[in-house]
Amino acid sequence: MKSERIFDYVRDVDTALIINGGENQIDKTFFYITGAKSGIFEGSALFIRPDEVKIITSELEEQAARETGYDVIIFKTRDEFNEIIKKIFENHTNIGINYSAVSLEQYKNILKIIPDKEFIDISQSILEARKIKEDDEISKIREAAKIASDSLEDVIPKIREGMTEIELAAEVVYAMMKNGASGESFSTIVAFGKNSSMPHYFPGKTKLKKGDFVLIDYGAVYQRYCSDTTRTMVFGRASEEQKEI
């Protein structure tokens, strides 16, 4: 179990709480441990021990949670959620928390629910555990990379003079989704000409001209695993200076 590996890198802790906030406060470790293929799991949590995982979630996510094969506890209200957390951790004193993924608001709420506990930062332990990829993880990463690579091959023939950076970015994302991605790893970057000098440029309405650099920085998500690819080409014939660059 992936939960077991997390505890290999931390002492004096055999129980941990992984907690999600709203859509922008989702701890990716939740999906690393559970392997949940669908669901957002806002406001959900995990009770984890080396040999045990319990998913605490709402009715909205019940089906996705049960598909993982782990124990599932369903709550209907936030008060119910708080009572479940209080009961499930009542016999545990030292509790691991992924500090790097918990907001100050979430942490204060945890202290209100279970105030008599000692919380220990296990964020570094989680990072160490996640560095070691299992075969199924490697397979998913390879597929994410393949989707990205194949998608660029599909997009290159569609690059045309006068199209905007936004239009090309849309073609890239569409191709990835069509080839099996569940989404983009991050906001796709497409930059033409001088805009390609900015590493984290946001695509705009700049139109493509002959001789422009075309930089595409993009990635595909496949079963929650990501790829990250950057390709730079020249639209038309590259000058000697561009080849050197």
Side-chain angles (χ1 to χ4, degrees):
M1 296 175 72
K2 291 187 173 75
S3 58
E4 182 177 7
R5 184 176 294 149
I6 289 172
F7 293 99
D8 288 343
Y9 300 93
V10 63
R11 295 178 181 177
D12 304 321
V13 180
D14 63 1
T15 306
L17 169 64
I18 301 297
I19 193 162
N20 291 334
E23 189 174 0
N24 295 320
Q25 293 179 327
I26 304 296
D27 187 348
K28 298 292 181 66
T29 306
F30 186 101
F31 301 107
Y32 167 74
I33 292 171
T34 64
K37 292 188 170 103
S38 60
I40 300 173
F41 289 95
E42 291 177 298
S44 300
L46 294 180
F47 167 87
I48 60 172
R49 292 171 57 79
D51 60 350
E52 183 181 12
V53 174
K54 292 185 185 294
I55 300 174
I56 304 150
T57 192
S58 69
E59 293 175 300
L60 289 174
E61 309 286 7
E62 182 173 359
Q63 182 177 349
R66 295 201 185 282
E67 287 174 353
T68 68
Y70 291 115
D71 290 339
V72 178
I73 303 172
I74 300 298
F75 64 86
K76 294 182 180 180
T77 67
R78 189 48 47 179
D79 286 342
E80 275 190 25
F81 173 85
N82 294 346
E83 285 302 315
I84 291 167
I85 295 295
K86 186 183 297 185
K87 184 175 181 180
I88 204 170
F89 285 99
E90 64 183 351
N91 296 321
H92 303 279
T93 303
N94 297 338
I95 301 173
I97 297 283
N98 186 9
Y99 277 27
S100 66
V102 175
S103 69
L104 179 58
E105 180 184 19
Q106 286 174 298
Y107 185 67
K108 286 182 175 180
N109 286 335
I110 294 168
L111 291 178
K112 290 178 183 177
I113 301 168
I114 41 178
D116 55 340
K117 308 298 180 183
E118 181 175 353
F119 298 105
I120 298 165
D121 182 13
I122 60 168
S123 55
Q124 191 59 42
S125 303
I126 290 170
L127 287 176
E128 291 299 323
R130 290 179 61 175
K131 285 178 184 178
I132 303 169
K133 304 300 184 190
E134 296 180 358
D135 288 344
D136 70 308
E137 294 179 281
I138 293 171
S139 176
K140 291 171 186 175
I141 294 168
R142 288 188 191 280
E143 184 60 25
K146 184 178 185 300
I147 288 170
S149 182
D150 290 347
S151 297
L152 187 63
E153 294 299 317
D154 293 343
V155 166
I156 286 175
K158 298 179 181 179
I159 299 176
R160 66 185 186 282
E161 189 170 9
M163 76 184 312
T164 65
E165 294 163 331
I166 292 175
E167 287 175 326
L168 182 52
E171 291 284 1
V172 172
V173 175
Y174 172 71
M176 289 193 294
M177 299 289 283
K178 190 176 179 181
N179 286 325
S182 58
E184 50 185 340
S185 304
F186 48 88
S187 295
T188 297
I189 298 170
V190 171
F192 296 158
K194 65 181 182 181
N195 297 336
S196 65
S197 67
M198 290 182 272
H200 290 158
Y201 174 78
F202 198 80
K205 295 183 178 180
T206 299
K207 293 183 177 182
L208 184 61
K209 305 186 305 293
K210 287 286 187 183
D212 275 351
F213 273 122
V214 177
L215 181 143
I216 307 175
D217 187 351
Y218 68 111
V221 180
Y222 178 76
Q223 293 186 14
R224 302 193 193 275
Y225 283 78
C226 301
S227 60
D228 185 348
T229 304
T230 305
R231 295 289 181 265
T232 306
M233 59 198 86
V234 174
F235 182 64
R237 187 175 296 277
S239 67
E240 290 305 314
E241 182 182 14
Q242 284 175 316
K243 289 178 184 179
E244 184 179 351
I245 291 171

